[in-house]
């Protein structure tokens, strides 16, 4: 790939070859779009050292202040936030930043205070905010004493605990180091605030104080060394320079924003010193020790800004293209085609959007390419689709906590995305974000230095949008079924998984239900300690045990595992999702690990039928919990609690098995469940969670043969026990052999406050004949509005026969509804015939099957036409061994316009080895392939398994077998004789999700009313 960088014109051209000729010559194949990045600068050569900075219209900003009295309040708050610093003398300000070789520590000690302890969670008990009344010191919030002192001295290198018999004897406590780190971390924010106040008020004392801090920082920063920084005393030398690698870029960007506002007060020599003593040392430190993932990506904003304002094209080239988390390959390859960045945690994933938006802002007019990138364009809309009931987002992986009061992307990010795209969906998401973050009636001084918003236009645009529909993120593995309006809204979240482990939980096929203004199956949230050695992190919070899924053989699921979607249908009266993730338990011999969910509309809401099928392994435990309130049981009696924990009567709470690390698959997590009450069950039984306002969540469990029920208790935060224990349920099945299928059926419903009786009246398993498939299941649900009968099979050629002859299904799913004693509706999904008490509906075929002939970025050409009623539905494309899914936007005969894009990434050939099939890039940019920390990763599919690679000019395409961080690997089951010719060193290659010959299918759906 060639790059041309100059002061006035920057153009990076990835695929400029026109494809019109190739399209005429090639009847099948992949036809890539150019994917150009054009960086145009109209500025003349810089005449001043400050020319690269952004300027602001003071008069226009002051008019905004005058028009909105809330800004006066914001200015007053800003002044108050820096008042202690403003009261200090210059020498006192300088003393806040000690010499560069002073240790810096994120925590005083893992155990907390040397006298009172309190280290029950990360950063506790001292927190992360310095008290300026105690410069270079820290005050214990438990006992009130201040460190260091005569008994606990600290010369800047920490106090060594020499107390005989102390549990921390021989370890150091970093009192001064704690203050040093957290003041350096917060100082740039203080400078930015002072700069804003000066800019708005003209009060020179604010610019003076900011300058003193900047001057002292410039004296120290060049010599600060990452080897003097620690998280907790165990990880010296991990970080790049001043603070955590994951924070420093953002911190430096805050400082730069303050400097940008203060420019009129600085002489050119001072600005050059800033460039030489802050920007250059930061860049040199990072270039010497670049980081991957979000740790490195979070540096991109500051480094882009430094390169832009200094005109340093080498710096820009490095940050945009050359380091492991460079911005262009990050958006290309670490944003999935459905828009979700690769981190499993929604909060960590959002940092990639944060950085990308800031890079666009830092580059000014040259940054538009960021917003035009198809992965970025998809990203904010994908997050907007996650919102349930107008404010909630399921806390996927390391995010949130037990009490979900709402979550969206930060307002600043959503605001920027709205201004870039101005779509109704983002208008609605912006209003939701403002509400969730409590900013609907507030303003920030930052708002004054951004493009102003016309909120009335935002509201009108949001109002033009229809209520959210059921949705699916095909790569991230999220499906959300939605029904109802306003207070009757019900939404079911389903996480069937994707292949990456960063900040992930072992929670494949996990679910959550949102209704009556709340969530009912909460997550335990972000771990108490975010590291690999804290027992409760790996053994509980991130473990399978505390999620609503199935644990096999008392082992944790594998991480980094792909799920497969088998059905996703949203039609009147019924919503249906069906997915599997056998990869999660390949280590247990599991060959069926599948969950089917059906949401049935009823007046005032909906209820859910859940069928979880497992085959393989010796023990299957269906895990479930509801809100953190006590439960009542119906239909069974339990014995008194037994001693010990679910891990064993002799195993105490929290005891990790010897020789087993917290994240090991052999760690059952059951040591965190106690007060075990177990009984055999033969008939359906119920569990009720009653909230203070009278809302009741109900689960009806239909037992399988030889099933036992176990009620336990567990602490949501087991290390600190800061939240009270709550009930956790286990439905246990031990198959007689590895061919027996455990079938866990449940019905979930909500009785809203004020309703007189529970919704579900009776649940019964339908007896089937031996002629039915082994995966077949039938269930009858009677409720206050009528009755449903639902028949399940595992594929469109499945067969289900009721023993009494009343019901028969040839297909994947059949559902019949009675209202007022009369059959009202029959629905057949993925089948040819459905019989209900003499009534029969049929389809000519169970589904659509076709083959891919041509692939473009936003359309595919098939070997046969699709019906027009496929528009708005989901089609599946098998690029074995991975199944892809797409929304059908438009059908034009054999041409099908799809979303999201088929284009999944881009690389640059540095070397090709035909013998191994490896095309090496070398920059560690294919992070979505990184599953090799997985103990059973051989054979586990990653993002690139079965995908396609083409030269940027098109013409030929090759299927991939797999990929790793630095390379893609061609499948040897194809002719590779010309691969070296097709991928010469230095050219750009493009990666596509699907290619010619891949199989397309969709489930046919028929609904008949009576």
């Amino acid at each position: 790939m060639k790059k041309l960088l100059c002061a006035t014109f920057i153009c990076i051209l990835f695929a400029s070859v026109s494809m019109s000729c190739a399209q005429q010559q090639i009847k099948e194949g992949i036809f890539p779009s150019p994917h150009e990045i054009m960086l145009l600068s109209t500025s003349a050569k810089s005449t001043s050292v400050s020319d690269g900075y952004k300027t602001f219209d003071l008069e226009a900003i002051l008019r905004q202040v005058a028009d909105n009295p809330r800004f006066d309040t914001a200015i007053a708050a800003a002044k108050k936030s820096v008042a202690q610093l403003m009261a200090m003398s210059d020498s006192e300000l300088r003393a806040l930043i000690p010499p560069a070789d002073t240790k810096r520590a994120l925590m005083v000690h893992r155990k907390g205070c040397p006298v009172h302890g309190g280290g029950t969670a990360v950063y506790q008990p001292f927190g992360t905010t310095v008290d300026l009344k105690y410069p270079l010191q820290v005050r214990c919030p438990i006992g009130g004493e201040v460190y260091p002192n005569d008994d606990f001295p600290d010369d800047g290198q920490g106090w060594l605990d020499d107390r005989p018999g102390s549990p921390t004897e021989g370890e150091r406590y970093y009192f001064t180091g704690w203050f040093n780190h957290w003041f350096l971390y917060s100082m740039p924010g203080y400078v930015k605030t002072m700069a804003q106040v000066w800019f708005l008020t003209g009060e020179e004392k604010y610019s003076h104080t900011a300058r003193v801090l900047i001057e002292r920082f410039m004296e120290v920063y060049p010599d600060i060394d990452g080897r003097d920084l620690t998280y907790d005393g165990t990880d010296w030398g991990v970080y790049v320079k001043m603070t955590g690698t994951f924070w420093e870029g953002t911190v430096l960007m805050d400082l730069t924003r303050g400097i940008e506002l203060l420019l009129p007060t600085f002489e050119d020599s001072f600005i050059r010193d800033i460039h030489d003593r802050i920007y250059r040392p930061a860049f040199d430190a990072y270039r010497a020790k670049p980081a991957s993932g979000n740790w490195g990506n979070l540096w991109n904003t500051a480094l882009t800004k430094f390169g832009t304002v200094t005109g340093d094209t080498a710096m820009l080239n490095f940050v945009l293209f050359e380091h492991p988390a460079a911005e262009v390959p990050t958006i290309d390859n670490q944003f999935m085609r459905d828009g979700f960045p690769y981190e499993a945690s929604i909060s960590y994933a959002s940092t990639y959007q944060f950085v990308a938006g800031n890079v666009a802002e830092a580059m000014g007019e040259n940054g538009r390419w960021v917003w035009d990138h198809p992965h970025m364009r998809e990203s904010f809309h994908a997050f907007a689709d996650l919102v349930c009931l107008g404010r909630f987002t399921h806390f996927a992986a390391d995010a949130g906590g037990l009490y979900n009061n709402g979550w969206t992307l930060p307002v600043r990010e959503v605001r920027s995305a709205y201004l870039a795209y101005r779509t109704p969906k983002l208008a609605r998401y912006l209003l939701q974000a403002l509400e969730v973050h409590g900013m609907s009636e507030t303003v920030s001084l930052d708002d004054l230095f951004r493009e102003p918003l016309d909120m009335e236009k935002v509201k009108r645009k949001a109002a033009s949008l229809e209520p959210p529909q059921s949705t699916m993120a095909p790569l991230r593995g999220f499906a959300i079924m939605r029904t109802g309006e306003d207070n009757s809204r019900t939404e079911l979240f389903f996480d069937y998984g994707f292949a990456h482990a960063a900040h992930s939980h072992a929670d494949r096929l996990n679910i959550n239900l949102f209704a009556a203004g709340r969530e009912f199956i909460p997550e335990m949230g972000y771990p108490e300690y975010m590291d690999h050695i804290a027992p409760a992190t790996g053994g509980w919070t991130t473990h399978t045990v505390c999620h609503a899924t199935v644990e096999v053989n008392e082992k944790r699921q594998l991480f980094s595992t792909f799920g497969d979607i088998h059905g996703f249908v949203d039609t009147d009266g019924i919503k249906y999702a069906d997915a599997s993730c056998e990869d999660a338990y390949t280590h247990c011999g599991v060959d069926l690990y599948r969950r089917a969910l059906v949401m049935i509309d009823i007046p005032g809401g909906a209820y859910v039928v859940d069928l979880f099928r497992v085959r393989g392994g010796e023990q299957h435990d269906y895990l479930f919990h509801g809100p953190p309130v006590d439960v009542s049981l119906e239909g069974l009696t339990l014995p008194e609690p037994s001693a010990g924990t679910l891990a064993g009567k002799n195993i105490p709470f929290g005891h990790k098995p010897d020789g087993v690390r917290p994240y090991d698959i052999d760690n059952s997590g059951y040591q965190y469940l106690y007060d075990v009450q177990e009984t055999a069950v033969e008939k359906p039984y119920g569990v009720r969670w009653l909230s203070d306002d009278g809302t009741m969540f109900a689960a009806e469990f239909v037992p399988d043969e030889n099933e036992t029920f176990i009620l336990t208790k567990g602490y949501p935060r087991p290390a600190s026990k800061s939240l009270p224990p709550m009930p956790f349920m286990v439905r246990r099945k031990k198959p007689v052999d590895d061919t027996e299928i455990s079938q866990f059926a449940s019905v979930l419903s909500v009785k809203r406050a004020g309703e007189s009786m529970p919704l579900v009246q009776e649940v019964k398993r339908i007896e089937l004949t031996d002629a039915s498939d082994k995966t077949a299941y039938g269930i009858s649900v009677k409720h206050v509005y009528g009755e449903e009968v639902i028949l399940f099979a595992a594929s469109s050629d499945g067969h289900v026969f009721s023993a009494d002859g009343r019901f028969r299904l040839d297909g994947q799913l059949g559902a019949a509804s009675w209202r007022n004693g009369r059959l009202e509706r029959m629905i057949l999904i993925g089948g040819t015939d459905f019989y209900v008490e003499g009534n029969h509906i049929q389809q000519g075929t169970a589904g659509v099957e076709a083959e891919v002939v041509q692939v473009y970025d936003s359309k595919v050409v098939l070997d046969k036409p699709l019906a027009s009623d496929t528009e708005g539905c989901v089609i599946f494309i098998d690029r074995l061994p991975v199944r892809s899914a797409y929304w059908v936007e438009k059908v034009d005969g054999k041409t099908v316009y799809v979303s999201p894009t088929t284009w999944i990434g881009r690389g640059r050939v540095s070397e090709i080895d035909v013998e191994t099939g490896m095309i090496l890039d070398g920059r560690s940019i294919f992070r979505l392939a990184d599953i090799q920390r997985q103990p059973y990763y051989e054979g586990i599919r990653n993002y690139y398994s079965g995908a396609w690679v083409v030269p940027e000019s098109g013409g030929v395409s090759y299927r991939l077998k797999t990929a790793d961080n630095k390379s893609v690997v061609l499948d040897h089951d194809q002719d590779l004789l010309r691969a070296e010719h097709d991928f010469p060193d230095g050219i750009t290659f493009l990666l596509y999700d699907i290619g010619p010959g891949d199989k397309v299918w969709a489930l046919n759906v028929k609904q008949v009313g009576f």
Side-chain angles (χ1 to χ4, degrees):
M1 178 175 60
K2 297 181 179 179
K3 293 180 287 293
L4 173 65
L5 298 175
C6 62
T8 59
F9 181 83
I10 309 173
C11 175
I12 297 85
L13 183 61
F14 287 99
S16 59
V17 178
S18 170
M19 297 307 304
S20 59
C21 295
Q23 292 175 25
Q24 295 172 6
Q25 297 169 4
I26 302 173
K27 293 184 178 180
E28 66 175 35
I30 299 173
F31 303 96
S33 294
H35 297 295
E36 297 174 352
I37 295 179
M38 300 294 293
L39 309 181
L40 302 173
S41 176
T42 58
S43 60
K45 186 175 178 63
S46 297
T47 59
S48 168
V49 71
S50 61
D51 280 353
Y53 287 92
K54 184 178 179 180
T55 59
F56 301 91
D57 187 336
L58 176 59
E59 291 185 3
I61 290 173
L62 291 180
R63 283 196 297 271
Q64 290 186 63
V65 174
D67 291 342
N68 190 340
R70 289 181 294 183
F71 281 117
D72 292 333
T73 303
I75 293 171
K79 288 183 175 181
K80 184 177 180 181
S81 71
V82 297
Q84 284 183 284
L85 290 169
M86 298 304 301
M88 292 182 177
S89 66
D90 289 1
S91 60
E92 289 171 329
L93 290 168
R94 292 174 55 81
L96 293 172
I97 303 178
D101 61 354
T102 306
K103 297 297 184 188
R104 300 179 310 287
L106 277 68
M107 290 193 283
V108 170
H109 191 279
R110 176 183 291 275
K111 297 294 184 181
C113 170
V115 176
H116 300 100
T120 57
V122 65
Y123 306 134
Q124 296 303 310
F126 299 105
T128 59
T129 303
V130 300
D131 187 339
L132 292 173
K133 291 184 292 187
Y134 304 102
L136 300 179
Q137 297 175 302
V138 58
R139 180 177 180 273
C140 175
I142 301 173
E145 71 278 14
V146 176
Y147 301 96
N149 54 41
D150 291 343
D151 294 327
F152 301 91
D154 183 349
D155 62 358
Q157 304 304 304
W159 170 73
L160 180 66
D161 186 358
D162 56 1
R163 297 171 295 180
S166 167
T168 58
E169 185 178 4
E171 299 177 16
R172 288 187 181 271
Y173 285 71
Y174 297 96
F175 309 119
T176 300
W178 177 88
F179 182 97
N180 185 26
H181 170 266
W182 288 112
F183 181 74
L184 286 171
Y185 172 86
S186 58
M187 184 273 297
Y190 290 136
V191 168
K192 188 184 82 167
T193 298
M194 293 174 191
Q196 289 175 334
V197 173
W198 169 80
F199 189 90
L200 296 170
T201 67
E203 297 179 51
E204 292 185 1
K205 61 181 180 179
Y206 290 98
S207 60
H208 173 79
T209 300
R211 179 172 180 139
V212 171
L213 289 172
I214 294 170
E215 284 178 331
R216 175 56 182 161
F217 185 68
M218 285 195 292
E219 294 171 8
V220 173
Y221 187 73
D223 297 321
I224 285 179
D225 194 314
R227 291 171 292 186
D228 292 323
L229 173 65
T230 182
Y231 173 64
D232 60 1
T234 66
D235 58 346
W236 300 100
V238 171
Y239 308 106
V240 170
K241 195 164 175 63
M242 179 182 73
T243 183
T245 304
F246 35 85
W247 292 326
E248 190 156 354
T250 303
V251 167
L252 291 172
M253 191 62 200
D254 267 351
L255 183 64
T256 306
R257 289 190 172 108
I259 289 167
E260 197 160 47
L261 288 171
L262 292 167
L263 281 179
T265 71
F266 296 158
E267 58 276 14
D268 283 358
S269 60
F270 191 77
I271 299 172
R272 291 191 184 93
D273 285 344
I274 289 172
H275 294 178
D276 294 342
R277 301 188 63 79
I278 299 178
Y279 299 173
R280 175 54 59 177
F283 173 68
D284 289 344
Y286 183 80
R287 182 170 55 180
K289 195 175 183 179
S292 59
N294 62 349
W295 282 36
N297 186 245
L298 284 161
W299 276 80
N300 285 350
T301 300
L303 297 183
T304 300
K305 187 70 172 181
F306 299 166
T308 298
V309 300
T310 62
D312 190 328
T313 55
M315 191 182 294
L316 269 179
N317 190 70
F318 178 83
V319 70
L320 290 178
F321 302 105
E322 298 305 328
H323 71 97
E327 197 58 33
V328 173
T330 291
I331 303 178
D332 285 348
N333 302 298
Q334 295 179 36
F335 280 59
M336 290 179 282
R337 66 180 179 84
D338 60 8
F340 285 96
Y342 89 109
E343 299 270 357
S345 163
I346 55 170
S347 57
Y348 278 98
S350 71
T351 63
Y352 290 87
Q353 298 162 310
F354 166 76
V355 170
N358 281 327
V359 165
E361 179 186 328
M363 296 185 74
E365 63 182 354
N366 286 330
R368 183 65 214 184
W369 68 269
V370 174
W371 297 112
D372 290 340
H373 196 291
H375 297 167
M376 187 69 169
R377 182 179 294 275
E378 197 75 37
S379 193
F380 285 91
H381 294 88
F383 271 77
D385 281 338
L386 293 183
V387 176
C388 296
L389 307 185
R391 67 177 294 113
F392 301 104
T393 300
H394 174 78
F395 289 142
D398 286 341
L402 183 67
Y403 297 100
N404 189 344
N405 296 313
W407 188 93
T408 68
L409 291 172
V411 171
R412 183 181 186 276
E413 295 174 37
V414 182
R415 185 182 193 277
S416 297
Y418 171 76
L419 288 170
Y421 304 122
R422 300 184 188 271
T423 63
K425 183 177 288 187
L426 289 182
R428 180 172 64 194
Y429 193 43
L430 177 57
L431 296 178
Q432 291 168 338
L434 288 166
E435 182 66 27
V436 165
H437 293 277
M439 298 172 63
S440 296
E441 301 300 325
T442 63
V443 295
S444 164
L445 293 189
D446 290 342
D447 296 339
L448 293 170
F449 302 95
R450 305 183 189 124
E451 182 181 345
L453 270 179
D454 185 333
M455 288 308 300
E456 292 306 313
K457 283 187 178 180
V458 173
K459 292 175 183 177
R460 288 195 298 271
K461 194 174 287 277
S464 70
L465 198 62
E466 294 293 324
Q469 303 299 305
S470 297
T471 190
M472 180 179 64
L475 270 296
R476 182 55 182 83
F478 290 156
I480 304 177
M481 292 175 279
R482 296 181 163 115
T483 192
E485 297 180 1
D486 302 326
N487 294 334
S488 68
R489 192 87 174 150
T490 303
E491 308 193 31
L492 181 69
F493 180 92
F494 187 19
D495 184 350
Y496 59 89
F498 79 119
H500 207 276
H503 285 286
S504 68
H505 288 189
D507 62 351
R508 296 302 184 260
L509 305 192
N510 185 39
I511 61 172
N512 197 354
L513 182 66
F514 297 85
R518 71 203 74 188
E519 71 171 356
F520 287 100
I521 311 175
E523 289 288 302
M524 301 303 105
Y526 197 90
E528 292 165 280
Y529 264 95
M530 192 61 262
D531 60 44
H532 66 283
I533 62 173
T537 301
W540 175 255
T541 317
T542 71
H543 197 288
T544 311
V545 65
C546 67
H547 294 88
T549 185
V550 168
E551 183 164 330
V552 177
N553 290 0
E554 298 191 14
K555 295 183 184 295
R556 177 188 174 101
Q557 290 181 0
L558 299 179
F559 53 73
S560 301
T561 51
F562 249 124
D564 291 303
I565 190 78
H566 302 285
F568 186 77
V569 173
D570 181 340
T571 189
D572 291 343
I574 186 172
K575 323 299 173 192
Y576 167 61
D578 188 337
S580 65
C581 190
E582 287 77 16
D583 287 5
Y585 277 112
T586 58
H587 56 305
C588 295
V590 169
D591 63 3
L592 178 66
Y593 190 77
R594 182 163 170 174
R595 192 169 209 161
L597 297 158
V598 178
M599 179 184 284
I600 300 292
D601 291 0
I602 48 95
Y607 71 89
V608 174
V609 177
D610 170 22
L611 178 64
F612 208 130
R613 291 168 279 195
V614 187
R615 180 175 57 212
E618 292 76 48
Q619 179 175 295
H620 306 152
D621 289 344
Y622 175 97
L623 308 169
F624 199 79
H625 65 272
V629 298
D630 290 336
V631 297
S632 60
L633 305 176
E634 294 185 2
L636 76 170
T637 303
L638 295 176
E640 290 298 310
S642 62
T645 61
L646 186 61
K649 292 184 178 181
N650 298 319
I651 298 179
F653 180 85
H655 177 75
K656 180 176 60 65
D658 294 338
V660 175
R661 293 176 299 175
Y663 286 88
D664 276 359
I665 56 174
D666 292 327
N667 184 1
S668 73
Y670 288 172
Q671 65 269 26
Y672 291 102
L673 296 175
Y674 68 99
D675 277 2
V676 177
Q677 298 171 274
E678 182 172 357
T679 187
V681 288
E682 297 180 352
K683 298 179 180 179
Y685 56 100
V687 184
R688 310 284 183 261
W689 293 259
L690 183 63
S691 300
D692 290 342
D693 67 352
T695 300
M696 185 177 73
F697 178 46
E700 319 300 327
F701 295 140
V702 185
D704 203 0
E705 187 175 359
N706 299 319
E707 181 179 315
T708 59
F709 174 77
I710 306 169
L711 179 64
T712 72
K713 291 181 181 177
Y715 286 93
R717 315 299 280 171
S720 64
K721 297 183 174 63
S722 57
L723 295 173
M726 58 182 279
F728 290 85
M729 281 117 263
V730 180
R731 298 171 61 191
R732 175 165 290 172
K733 177 73 183 294
K734 295 186 177 182
V736 296
D737 58 39
D738 58 9
T739 66
E740 183 179 358
I741 299 174
S742 296
Q743 302 197 89
F744 299 104
S746 310
V747 178
L748 311 178
S749 62
V750 174
K751 182 181 81 67
R752 288 165 168 79
E755 293 178 347
S756 59
M757 65 178 67
L759 171 67
V760 177
Q761 305 294 300
E762 180 185 37
V763 176
K764 183 171 61 177
R765 182 173 184 171
I766 297 173
E767 185 180 354
L768 305 179
T769 70
D770 292 340
S772 300
D773 294 355
K774 287 187 176 181
T775 59
Y777 196 89
I779 189 170
S780 166
V781 182
K782 293 183 178 179
H783 48 81
V784 295
Y785 299 104
E787 179 183 3
E788 265 75 42
V789 165
I790 304 174
L791 303 183
F792 297 85
S795 68
S796 56
D797 57 3
H799 301 286
V800 187
F801 303 92
S802 68
D804 60 10
R806 297 170 61 203
F807 312 112
R808 171 185 161 187
L809 170 67
D810 297 322
Q812 188 162 315
L813 186 91
S817 299
W818 287 261
R819 298 292 183 263
N820 301 315
R822 182 178 63 84
L823 181 63
E824 181 179 85
R825 179 179 59 217
M826 292 172 61
I827 298 173
L828 174 60
I829 297 175
T832 56
D833 294 277
F834 183 32
Y835 298 85
V836 175
E837 297 179 333
N839 298 284
H840 175 215
I841 63 173
Q842 64 182 151
Q843 303 183 103
T845 59
V848 175
E849 295 183 1
E851 188 172 294
V852 174
V853 177
Q854 295 179 341
V855 175
Y856 301 83
D857 279 36
S858 59
K859 67 181 180 181
V860 293
V861 179
L862 308 179
D863 65 343
K864 61 184 67 172
L866 285 188
S868 60
D869 59 7
T870 313
E871 291 181 1
C873 298
V874 173
I875 59 170
F876 307 99
I877 303 180
D878 288 340
R879 62 164 217 232
L880 296 178
V882 169
R883 172 164 297 160
S884 291
Y886 289 86
W887 290 101
V888 177
E889 301 295 337
K890 178 184 175 183
V891 175
D892 184 6
K894 296 179 182 180
T895 301
V896 182
Y897 294 83
V898 296
S899 67
T901 178
T902 64
W903 175 55
I904 63 173
R906 170 166 40 201
R908 184 176 64 209
V909 180
S910 64
E911 180 183 345
I912 182 169
D913 185 337
V914 176
E915 184 175 341
T916 63
M918 181 177 290
I919 301 176
L920 184 69
D921 181 290
R923 291 176 293 173
S924 296
I925 60 174
F926 303 117
R927 296 279 292 173
L928 284 164
D930 182 18
I931 63 171
Q932 295 190 17
R933 290 178 296 162
Q934 177 68 264
Y936 290 84
Y937 71 87
E938 299 240 356
I940 298 294
R941 303 165 296 166
N942 65 33
Y943 186 59
Y944 302 102
S945 301
W948 295 77
V949 59
V950 299
E952 62 178 345
S953 57
V956 294
S957 57
Y958 292 82
R959 189 182 292 277
L960 299 181
K961 180 179 181 180
T962 186
D964 60 26
N965 266 342
K966 295 185 177 183
S967 63
V968 296
V969 181
L970 303 177
D971 191 334
H972 273 82
D973 290 338
Q974 60 191 327
D975 185 355
L976 302 183
L977 290 178
R978 289 187 56 81
E980 194 167 9
H981 170 271
D982 293 330
F983 296 100
D985 290 355
I987 75 155
T988 294
F989 58 84
L990 301 175
L991 301 171
Y992 279 80
D993 179 51
I994 53 176
D998 287 343
K999 307 302 182 184
V1000 180
W1001 61 277
L1003 298 175
N1004 284 340
V1005 179
K1006 185 170 185 178
Q1007 181 172 171
V1008 175
F1010 295 90

